């Protein structure tokens, strides 16, 4: 059942994200997810809830296979970040809302990224850990160079969905006792 929830939540989130992003342009700054949200606030809120749910479910499933529980308060802070992002407009004319939106977006992205990175590290999935680190670093560089676009914003999220599914669907190897 966990495998079905893991995969289904990611598939739904990817499909909705692609449909939502198609309301703008994938490569232009005007197509940034938050800018699309100015024209379609309800669809943006749905996108944020689906995205958070898919990541949180997969992170929770991944951490359940460890003895660590620090991910729970991290996911709570990440949720607060997502709520700030979807509840406040990305509109510079409403400066206070703009700041709260940006703080929320940064909080959600950073905390979720750290949570996923640490999960891969703790589960000794070193290839996934290195890949997630490289993706996050590449995303940061692209954001600095090109500013936000739907493609740059969705790249680490989609990579997270895929890597979390790989981790969660992978069977744990049991230790074999040699006599």
């Amino acid at each position: 059942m966990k495998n079905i929830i893991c995969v289904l939540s990611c598939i739904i989130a990817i499909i909705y994200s692609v449909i939502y992003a198609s309301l703008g342009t994938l490569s232009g700054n005007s197509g940034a997810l938050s800018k699309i949200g100015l024209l379609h606030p309800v669809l943006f809120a749905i996108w944020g809830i689906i995205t958070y749910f898919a990541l949180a479910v997969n992170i929770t499933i991944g951490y359940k296979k460890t003895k660590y529980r620090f991910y729970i308060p991290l996911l709570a802070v990440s949720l607060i970040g997502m709520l700030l992002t979807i509840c406040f407009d990305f509109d510079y004319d409403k400066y206070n809302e703009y700041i709260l939106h940006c703080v929320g977006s940064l909080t959600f992205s950073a905390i979720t990224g750290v949570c996923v990175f640490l999960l891969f590290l703790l589960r000794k999935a070193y290839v996934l850990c290195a890949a997630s680190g490289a993706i996050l670093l590449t995303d940061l560089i692209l954001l600095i160079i090109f500013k936000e676009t739907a493609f740059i914003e969705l790249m680490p999220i989609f990579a997270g969905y895929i890597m979390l599914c790989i981790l969660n669907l992978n069977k744990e190897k049991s230790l074999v006792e040699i006599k």
Side-chain angles (χ1 to χ4, degrees):
M1 186 65 176
K2 286 181 185 177
N3 290 348
I4 293 171
I5 293 170
C6 169
V7 173
L8 194 59
S9 66
C10 289
I11 290 171
I12 291 168
I14 288 171
I15 291 170
Y16 188 86
S17 295
V18 169
I19 293 168
Y20 176 74
S22 71
L23 297 173
T25 61
L26 281 177
S27 59
N29 185 259
S30 63
L33 302 174
S34 295
K35 289 202 175 188
I36 297 169
L38 291 173
L39 299 173
H40 306 283
V42 173
L43 298 178
F44 182 61
I46 293 168
W47 172 82
I49 292 165
I50 289 172
T51 298
Y52 177 82
F53 178 78
L55 289 169
V57 162
N58 278 279
I59 289 168
T60 301
I61 290 170
Y63 273 100
K64 290 277 186 189
K65 296 178 181 178
T66 73
K67 62 182 177 185
Y68 302 101
R69 298 293 173 250
F70 66 85
Y71 72 94
I72 296 169
L74 289 178
L75 285 179
V77 172
S78 177
L79 176 61
I80 292 167
M82 181 54 86
L83 291 174
L84 287 172
T85 303
I86 62 178
C87 290
F88 295 102
D89 287 340
F90 186 70
D91 184 354
Y92 196 76
D93 292 334
K94 301 175 185 174
Y95 187 73
N96 290 337
E97 284 195 31
Y98 173 81
I99 293 296
L100 288 170
H101 176 92
C102 292
V103 166
S105 178
L106 181 62
T107 300
F108 167 75
S109 300
I111 297 295
T112 305
V114 166
C115 215
V116 170
F117 180 83
L118 290 175
L119 173 61
F120 295 151
L121 189 63
L122 294 170
R123 292 274 305 272
K124 298 180 180 163
Y126 299 121
V127 172
L128 295 176
C129 185
S132 70
I135 289 166
L136 292 172
L137 185 60
T138 302
D139 188 59
L140 177 63
I141 292 167
L142 291 173
L143 281 170
I144 291 169
I145 295 170
F146 299 107
K147 297 186 180 177
E148 58 272 323
T149 67
F151 176 75
I152 293 171
E153 290 176 317
L154 289 174
M155 180 184 61
I157 295 171
F158 285 2
Y161 294 148
I162 293 165
M163 292 187 298
L164 285 165
C165 280
I166 289 169
L167 181 76
N168 290 336
L169 296 176
N170 200 4
K171 298 280 185 216
E172 292 290 320
K173 295 175 185 166
S174 58
L175 297 174
V176 177
E177 186 177 319
I178 300 174
K179 292 183 181 184

